Amino acid sequence: MTAEPDLPPDATRGETVEALIRHRLGVALGGWRGSVETALPTVVFVVVWSVRDHDVRTAAIAAVGVALVLAAVRVVQRSSLQHVLGALVATGIAAFVAVRSGRAEDAFLPGILTSGVFLVGTLVSILTRWPVVGFLVGAGDPRAAEDPFGWRRDSGMIRVCSRLTWVLVGLYVVRLAVMVPLYLGSQVALLGVAKIALGWPLWVAGLALMGWMLVSGHTPLEAGREPVVADDEAAR
């Protein structure tokens, strides 16, 4: 008998594409703290703008100040700055645009434009068979540094990731459908509520839908491809 090859560090159990994706997405996605750090500057901007007689500059300064405090807390705790830096950059850009125009609703314009770009990007990724979710799956691969596009060698993986990426398309469509009319109507308070509601809560709903799709699907890994779910001990 020939010796069994060593299994890759990412897998010892499971036999479906969906099982592998569930594991990889669990590795790649962050937790609740990043969502709070992203939402809090928006809350501060809207609250300060409301109580300070629609003073855009003061509201923008307060929002940036909160983002800086959140970043400082991360530094003191020596924890990852990934999410809070994203929030700081987004808040800085939004504040700059709002202060330059003098219109509070313009603080939400960068986010609206970003959602539009992401909508186009996710659609293109599906059409070109490089679905965005596949890159998240690849990011959860312990061997991503050596083989970042290994997930594309399995046609079943591409099909499942494409279906999951359609969920992202739906999320961006919902965001734009809600935010654009509010922006055009200069509904600043409602824009703030919508941005928060269409942030982490909408992502949770999208991830729940993806989870249902992954649990209900049973796409086999192609012959010769890696088995599926990593043991924590094996990964170490």
Side-chain angles (χ1 to χ4, degrees):
M1 295 178 62
T2 58
E4 291 292 330
D6 291 335
L7 290 177
D10 186 37
T12 55
R13 298 191 304 272
E15 52 191 25
T16 67
V17 169
E18 287 82 2
L20 177 57
I21 292 175
R22 285 200 304 271
H23 169 66
R24 294 277 185 80
L25 290 182
V27 173
L29 294 175
W32 63 270
R33 183 175 177 179
S35 65
V36 172
E37 291 169 338
T38 301
L40 192 56
T42 297
V43 174
V44 170
F45 178 88
V46 173
V47 170
V48 173
W49 177 82
S50 299
V51 302
R52 295 283 295 182
D53 296 325
H54 298 180
D55 185 340
V56 175
R57 183 179 296 274
T58 301
I61 292 173
V64 172
V66 167
L68 287 171
V69 169
L70 293 173
V73 170
R74 285 278 191 175
V75 170
V76 170
Q77 294 179 338
R78 297 182 179 179
S79 57
S80 172
L81 289 169
Q82 177 183 352
H83 295 291
V84 73
L85 284 181
L88 180 58
V89 171
T91 302
I93 293 173
F96 174 79
V97 172
V99 170
R100 289 279 294 183
S101 70
R103 289 159 36 99
E105 61 267 30
D106 283 347
F108 301 91
L109 183 58
I112 293 172
L113 294 177
T114 299
S115 291
V117 171
F118 285 169
L119 172 59
V120 173
T122 50
L123 283 171
V124 170
S125 77
I126 294 170
L127 295 176
T128 58
R129 293 178 58 80
W130 284 82
V132 168
V133 171
F135 291 95
L136 292 176
V137 172
D141 187 347
R143 297 156 304 169
E146 295 127 13
D147 190 14
F149 306 123
W151 58 273
R152 294 202 77 250
R153 291 197 295 271
D154 190 318
S155 60
M157 179 75 71
I158 295 175
R159 288 195 304 273
V160 175
C161 287
S162 293
R163 289 197 290 268
L164 295 174
T165 302
W166 277 111
V167 176
L168 297 182
V169 171
L171 298 186
Y172 293 128
V173 168
V174 170
R175 282 183 181 173
L176 291 171
V178 174
M179 298 289 286
V180 170
L182 292 176
Y183 172 77
L184 294 177
S186 300
Q187 300 293 321
V188 177
L190 290 178
L191 279 167
V193 172
K195 181 174 180 180
I196 295 169
L198 299 177
W200 183 245
L202 186 62
W203 271 111
V204 170
L207 289 174
L209 178 56
M210 288 185 185
W212 175 81
M213 293 168 67
L214 291 171
V215 169
S216 61
H218 303 285
T219 306
L221 284 166
E222 291 184 357
R225 301 305 180 200
E226 60 185 290
V228 182
V229 181
D231 266 329
D232 289 338
E233 293 182 2
R236 288 194 291 267

